[in-house]
Amino acid sequence: MAENDKSGRPVFNGKARLVKRATTVKSGGAENHEKADVAAKLAQRYSLPVLTAREREILQRIAAGRSNKEIAGLLNLAENTVKNHVHVILEKLGVQDRTQAVTKAIARGILHVG
């Protein structure tokens, strides 16, 4: 999780530091529960794989109820290309279907609808 600098002190990357901080806060290291909630949400958000701009664009179309064929037509892509993007989105979000992907993306702040 941590590497050492030249002097032997641990050096954490940003994600590792955030997760470490969230763990410290959740375990009682903070004075109020609001900090724990914020830290946990940040750690959860930053632990997600990053969706590309194209993947977010396709996810937005999925949220609007569009089929792969419709998305392909709107974005001038082959339908199989859209299917591949959808597959990658599902894997990155760790879900089984399109509905779960949209729900999880909204809950994590990746996708905004309305």
Side-chain angles (χ1 to χ4, degrees):
M1 187 173 208
E3 296 177 8
N4 293 333
D5 66 9
K6 291 180 182 178
S7 66
R9 292 177 294 199
V11 177
F12 293 92
N13 65 28
K15 180 179 167 184
R17 188 177 308 129
L18 181 61
V19 171
K20 185 177 187 295
R21 173 72 179 134
T23 303
T24 301
V25 171
K26 278 187 95 171
S27 66
E31 294 182 19
N32 65 48
H33 294 291
E34 289 179 26
K35 288 181 183 177
D37 290 341
V38 170
K41 286 178 184 176
L42 282 172
Q44 187 178 44
R45 179 179 242 178
Y46 282 102
S47 67
L48 287 177
V50 176
L51 296 180
T52 65
R54 178 64 88 184
E55 290 164 351
R56 288 190 310 273
E57 188 176 18
I58 289 172
L59 188 57
Q60 187 72 44
R61 301 296 197 292
I62 291 170
R66 302 290 186 161
S67 68
N68 288 348
K69 186 173 184 175
E70 290 172 319
I71 295 168
L74 289 167
L75 301 179
N76 198 27
L77 298 171
E79 189 174 352
N80 280 336
T81 301
V82 174
K83 286 180 184 179
N84 288 335
H85 281 299
V86 171
H87 177 74
V88 170
I89 292 166
L90 297 179
E91 280 192 350
K92 284 184 175 183
L93 295 178
V95 297
Q96 300 294 316
D97 60 47
R98 296 159 70 99
T99 303
Q100 290 176 351
V102 170
T103 302
K104 191 167 194 176
I106 291 169
R108 300 282 173 89
I110 297 169
L111 180 66
H112 304 283
V113 291

